[in-house]
Amino acid sequence: LEAVQKRAPGVSVHVEAFSPFTHLMELFGYEQALLALVDAPKLCHEALAMFTKVVLAQVQVYRDRRPDAILVSSAFAGAGFISRPMYREFVLPYEDEVFRAIRAAGCKSYVHTCGAIGDRLDLMAETAVDGIDTLDPPPLGTVDLAQAKADFGERFFFKGNLDAVNEM
């Protein structure tokens, strides 16, 4: 990071951290983690709180390197994986804590979530995140960019909205 900043001072340099929810999914496996959200929610909250501490430590390491932005990768937080109520319970509070720490570190944050997030943009707006990536349009996602810009364009910066199925 420091080498890139020295060699290309005009380039916006971003780093990545994985969301607490992604850590949960990856550690326990997708099927087991999703079942645990229903069967063992208390255990999931305990694990998510621990994973949040790990991500916050990573943010502190990044803070000293002064990246222009920190991407929080949260690929499994879309409607294709979990419902809106589960997003509110198991993703939003933990990611918001990370976004607030990123802001306190003097960086911009943005979140990457795959697929269908049109039903949770308003919930994302309740957090301290600065931007949203990928905003997949149909058929992969559920975000109409014009509507998202009308509803949340003053709140977020947007990155993406490419129809990878039909454009590629």
Side-chain angles (χ1 to χ4, degrees):
L1 178 60
E2 291 168 344
V4 171
Q5 290 169 326
K6 286 178 186 174
R7 288 188 174 102
V11 173
S12 181
V13 179
H14 300 194
V15 294
E16 181 176 15
F18 289 94
S19 78
F21 191 74
T22 296
H23 283 286
L24 181 82
M25 296 290 287
E26 294 288 346
L27 182 63
F28 295 110
Y30 311 139
E31 184 177 334
Q32 292 303 314
L34 291 172
L35 288 170
L37 296 177
V38 175
D39 295 338
K42 184 176 185 279
L43 180 63
C44 289
H45 283 293
E46 291 170 1
L48 288 164
M50 181 193 64
F51 294 138
T52 300
K53 290 178 183 177
V54 170
V55 178
L56 292 174
Q58 187 176 10
V59 167
Q60 290 305 309
V61 169
Y62 285 152
R63 179 197 67 194
D64 296 337
R65 305 307 184 279
R66 302 207 176 271
D68 295 299
I70 299 176
L71 165 64
V72 176
S73 184
S74 188
F76 305 107
F81 293 97
I82 61 171
S83 68
R84 178 182 164 94
M86 284 187 164
Y87 174 85
R88 180 188 296 275
E89 180 178 353
F90 294 105
V91 177
L92 187 139
Y94 304 101
E95 285 187 3
D96 190 36
E97 188 173 347
V98 172
F99 300 141
R100 289 182 190 286
I102 293 170
R103 182 173 287 167
C107 294
K108 295 288 185 189
S109 66
Y110 61 106
V111 63
H112 167 82
T113 302
C114 296
I117 62 169
D119 71 330
R120 55 203 70 196
L121 290 175
D122 61 319
L123 297 176
M124 292 174 160
E126 294 175 8
T127 72
V129 72
D130 296 299
I132 301 177
D133 165 273
T134 294
L135 296 158
D136 289 323
L140 293 177
T142 56
V143 177
D144 175 85
L145 185 58
Q147 187 63 52
K149 285 180 72 171
D151 293 344
F152 302 102
E154 296 294 318
R155 169 62 184 84
F156 300 120
F157 69 80
F158 295 130
K159 182 177 177 238
N161 200 247
L162 173 69
D163 178 353
V165 170
N166 294 304
E167 296 298 325
M168 309 288 258

